[in-house]
Amino acid sequence: MQAQYQALAVLSTGIYFTGLTFLKIAASGMPPLAGDRPAHLARTLLTDRTWLAGATVVAVGACVQAASLTGLTLVRAQPMFLAGIGLLIVLAVPVMGERLTLREWGCAAVLAAATALFADASDGAPRIASPEAAGGATVLTSAAKAPGTGAGAAVPPWLLGSVAALSLLVPCAAFLAADLARKGAHARPLTGVALAIDVGLLTGTAELMLKGAAARLGHPFTPVAAAYPALFAVTAPLALGQLQIALQRCRLVVVGLVATATAKTYLLLTGTLLFREPWPDGASTELAVALALAVLAIAAVPHHERRPSPARLHRAPTAR
């Protein structure tokens, strides 16, 4: 049964990156997008068929991810989610014709090392049994579950509200500040790394809501249980809007790598604390190293694109 949930986790990331490819194609034909023009942004996205197709594929990936989280702890799901980075590189480099610098290849290698460490550490992580066990409640099978802990633990409304508010306000405020600063006459062209980090925080928050909704399946209806899909409905569109702006300003491979690493790192750290999921016994050091490598991969990505050389800027077009 675990293998099925792990396959769903890998599949969800693959579907997500396939949807990103559609969004990147749509970005090239759109007028300049900006976060301080939300009406123009929404109108442009919702009237573009390619973008709508990509957004639909991304939504399917989210549904598959939610299904995987009904049978996996976040520690066990983490390496499966990050494994899709390989497909991202295939889609971006051979298919879309993008290129990575040596430093960016190094960042991808560091993230691959982090994924390997997550996979090794997750071997000792508790497993989540099927919801049918214990009358529909989610239970842990490879470790004793203390009262009030585990994926099915109820989250206090004030705590959920605080996490959601910070997760929404911080990336949105940072994005608007970066967008306004970029309009200066001497502003350097951003790679989209700052935007991709904001997208990752919003995406991680949306995935946190998916995890919460999956953990509450089979439980009686409560206001907190209803808050998860409601908060997801707010966070996901914000993430998609910022994602499209980032894809318009930067390469698919950079946006996808940084946003995914940020989202999964945030999801693991916040989710295990919020839902009180136990970490594997004796693997704390390995998990800490893996998290440090993931953060290093994000921080080491170049923050500015190379300016085109003067020769390329003034090269006369070839006659046809």
Side-chain angles (χ1 to χ4, degrees), residues 45-276:
L45 299 184
L46 295 177
T47 55
D48 189 288
R49 293 182 179 180
T50 305
W51 185 88
L52 289 173
T56 301
V57 175
V58 170
V60 172
C63 293
V64 176
Q65 178 175 331
S68 72
L69 290 176
T70 62
L72 292 175
T73 61
L74 290 173
V75 172
R76 281 194 167 271
Q78 181 77 350
M80 310 304 157
F81 290 152
L82 291 177
I85 293 292
L87 176 61
L88 169 67
I89 293 176
V90 171
L91 291 172
V93 179
V95 177
M96 301 293 292
E98 296 184 350
R99 294 184 178 182
L100 276 74
T101 65
L102 184 61
R103 181 172 168 180
E104 289 164 350
W105 278 115
C107 294
V110 170
L111 190 57
T115 304
L117 288 175
F118 278 127
D120 186 61
S122 68
D123 287 341
R127 301 170 183 267
I128 295 183
S130 62
E132 287 78 9
T138 303
V139 297
L140 304 178
T141 58
S142 66
K145 178 182 174 184
T149 65
V155 178
W158 67 267
L159 180 58
L160 179 61
S162 299
V163 170
L166 288 174
S167 301
L168 288 171
L169 291 178
V170 171
C172 289
F175 168 70
L176 287 175
D179 207 31
L180 291 174
R182 187 178 180 271
K183 294 179 180 179
H186 302 288
R188 296 179 65 187
L190 296 175
T191 61
V193 172
L195 296 176
I197 291 175
D198 288 345
V199 170
L201 291 174
L202 288 171
T203 302
T205 305
E207 292 173 340
L208 198 65
M209 298 306 113
L210 288 178
K211 175 62 178 177
R216 303 306 298 171
L217 288 177
H219 291 261
F221 176 83
T222 62
V224 174
Y228 291 120
L231 289 171
F232 176 82
V234 172
T235 310
L238 288 174
L240 280 173
Q242 289 199 17
L243 173 62
Q244 192 63 23
I245 297 172
L247 287 172
Q248 192 176 60
R249 300 178 185 177
C250 188
R251 286 164 291 155
L252 169 65
V253 66
V254 172
V255 173
L257 189 150
V258 173
T260 301
T262 302
K264 305 313 178 188
T265 301
Y266 178 80
L267 175 64
L268 179 63
L269 287 174
T270 308
T272 52
L273 291 174
L274 189 63
F275 301 113
R276 287 168 283 175

Side-chain angles (χ1 to χ4, degrees), residues 253-314:
V253 66
V254 172
V255 173
L257 189 150
V258 173
T260 301
T262 302
K264 305 313 178 188
T265 301
Y266 178 80
L267 175 64
L268 179 63
L269 287 174
T270 308
T272 52
L273 291 174
L274 189 63
F275 301 113
R276 287 168 283 175
E277 289 188 354
W279 281 25
D281 294 333
S284 297
T285 301
E286 194 170 18
L287 280 173
V289 173
L291 286 168
L293 288 177
V295 173
L296 176 62
I298 298 168
V301 175
H303 285 221
H304 296 277
E305 295 279 13
R306 292 181 178 179
R307 291 183 181 273
S309 64
R312 293 184 62 184
L313 287 173
H314 298 93

